[in-house]
Amino acid sequence: MNRQQGPIGVFDSGYGGLTVLKEIVKELPQYDYIYLGDNGRAPYGIRSFETVYHYTLECVQHLFRMGCHLVVLACNTASAKALRTIQQNDLPKIDPERRVLGIIRPTTEIVGNHTRSRQVGIFGTSGTVNSQSYPIEIEKFFPDVQVFQQACPMWVPLVENNEYNSEGADYFINKYIRQLLVQSGDIDTIVLGCTHYPLLADKIQEHLPPGITLLSQGELLAKSLAGYLRRHPEMQAKCSTGGGRTFYTTDDTETFDRQAGIFFGDSITSRHLAL
Ligand code: DGL
């Protein structure tokens, strides 16, 4: 690897982005990747705009220092609250040649191709839902699609605490599904707008009425990243190849390695990043 090249950085507030990285490495196995989970300061979903922005920017800068030219925010909350400011205000000052991409746009670009009823539901963290990022972005691509949102503040803690197969999970899945579907009986497509939620996908599907399509974001983002690199050969040339995968957590590495395997589907040995 020469200095002109570096790994692709993948960032999340904690474990959730590993569900995305798993799909990215399936689609683009040739590249080197650095994953950074800010477990020490997660969850982000309940924090203010300012806090999420500062935490995300700090982590992005760490990934740049580790040699990444391209960083993917595999976190909806960070994409909703920090991406635009980082792209518009910070990157021109830090290094206009580096890029940061988010997870919301690849989802909103295609969601209208999945719904026949033109009524779409979004499950997300309170931060993502309150930011209105999904309705605003979907309106740009599919102005005829109506968007209904439901914040699911208990789902991230259930997943983080390994309770995603418990009776408690059934209770809170059912609760938020009812709260979404009471807003409209015609929703036929639901976006799992938080990278932690794929671990609950089977249970969510069990509790949903038949005929509703659930969209997880990992594959969508992987395909969108592949398309981005095809359209930007200058960035592709800066992404080092060799199949390296390096994992950093801002919290305890032993706990991270134990939990992370469940999200990534493979065993992980992480390093600690002190902030
Ligand atoms: N994984 C993050 C997301 O996609 C949420 C987790 C958190 O609240 O930190 O929104």
Side-chain angles (χ1 to χ4, degrees):
M1 178 172 98
N2 63 43
R3 281 189 172 190
Q4 268 36 98
Q5 291 193 320
I8 297 174
V10 177
F11 168 74
D12 183 52
S13 60
Y15 301 110
L18 290 164
T19 61
V20 177
L21 180 62
K22 183 176 160 189
E23 299 302 327
I24 295 178
V25 299
K26 266 193 224 160
E27 182 76 26
L28 299 164
Q30 67 273 35
Y31 296 109
D32 297 322
Y33 296 93
I34 296 185
Y35 182 88
L36 172 55
D38 192 7
N39 302 75
R41 301 188 296 194
Y44 278 20
I46 47 162
R47 297 195 193 279
S48 70
F49 175 94
E50 275 300 302
T51 304
V52 172
Y53 162 65
H54 284 298
Y55 286 0
T56 305
L57 178 61
E58 195 181 2
C59 289
V60 165
Q61 285 182 297
H62 273 288
L63 287 165
F64 285 165
R65 271 181 233 121
M66 292 175 196
C68 302
H69 295 268
L70 176 64
V71 171
V72 177
L73 301 184
C75 174
N76 286 269
T77 311
S79 301
K81 292 187 158 191
L83 179 64
R84 187 172 294 253
T85 315
I86 291 176
Q87 285 175 332
Q88 294 180 353
N89 296 354
D90 298 300
L91 272 187
K93 287 180 233 151
I94 300 170
D95 183 347
E97 300 299 317
R98 301 199 193 228
R99 289 287 173 273
V100 181
L101 306 177
I103 194 166
I104 293 180
R105 187 171 171 143
T107 314
T108 55
E109 273 175 359
I110 56 90
V111 71
N113 305 332
H114 289 262
T115 166
R116 278 204 296 268
S117 69
R118 314 312 283 163
Q119 306 228 338
V120 165
I122 310 290
F123 285 132
T125 64
S126 307
T128 299
V129 166
N130 292 339
S131 75
Q132 299 296 330
S133 297
Y134 273 95
I136 292 167
E137 289 295 317
I138 291 173
E139 157 94 48
K140 289 184 195 156
F141 296 106
F142 304 100
D144 63 318
V145 168
Q146 263 186 292
V147 181
F148 301 89
Q149 303 190 91
Q150 179 59 46
C152 310
M154 288 305 291
W155 286 4
V156 168
L158 283 168
V159 171
E160 289 273 327
N161 291 294
N162 237 328
E163 291 284 343
Y164 53 89
N165 265 325
S166 66
E167 281 172 32
D170 282 306
Y171 174 82
F172 283 108
I173 286 171
N174 205 16
K175 174 174 176 167
Y176 297 140
I177 287 178
R178 275 191 282 112
Q179 288 179 352
L180 177 68
L181 296 184
V182 83
Q183 299 178 46
S184 160
D186 285 329
I187 292 170
D188 67 352
T189 305
I190 297 179
V191 175
L192 294 182
C194 169
T195 52
H196 279 66
Y197 299 171
L199 270 91
L200 296 166
D202 290 346
K203 265 198 182 292
I204 296 171
Q205 196 80 65
E206 271 171 38
H207 285 272
L208 279 176
I212 297 184
T213 305
L214 260 195
L215 292 181
S216 290
Q217 299 175 298
E219 256 180 77
L220 298 179
L221 188 111
K223 296 224 178 314
S224 163
L225 180 61
Y228 175 85
L229 291 172
R230 270 196 305 276
R231 291 193 309 280
H232 294 88
E234 76 292 349
M235 181 50 80
Q236 186 171 29
K238 291 181 190 168
C239 298
S240 59
T241 52
R245 283 94 177 88
T246 310
F247 299 87
Y248 284 91
T249 176
T250 58
D251 206 355
D252 171 57
T253 52
E254 263 176 51
T255 315
F256 183 85
D257 296 350
R258 226 180 11 254
Q259 282 284 99
I262 304 169
F263 286 79
F264 192 55
D266 208 351
S267 66
I268 279 173
T269 307
S270 61
R271 304 175 192 180
H272 180 72
L273 176 75
L275 291 176

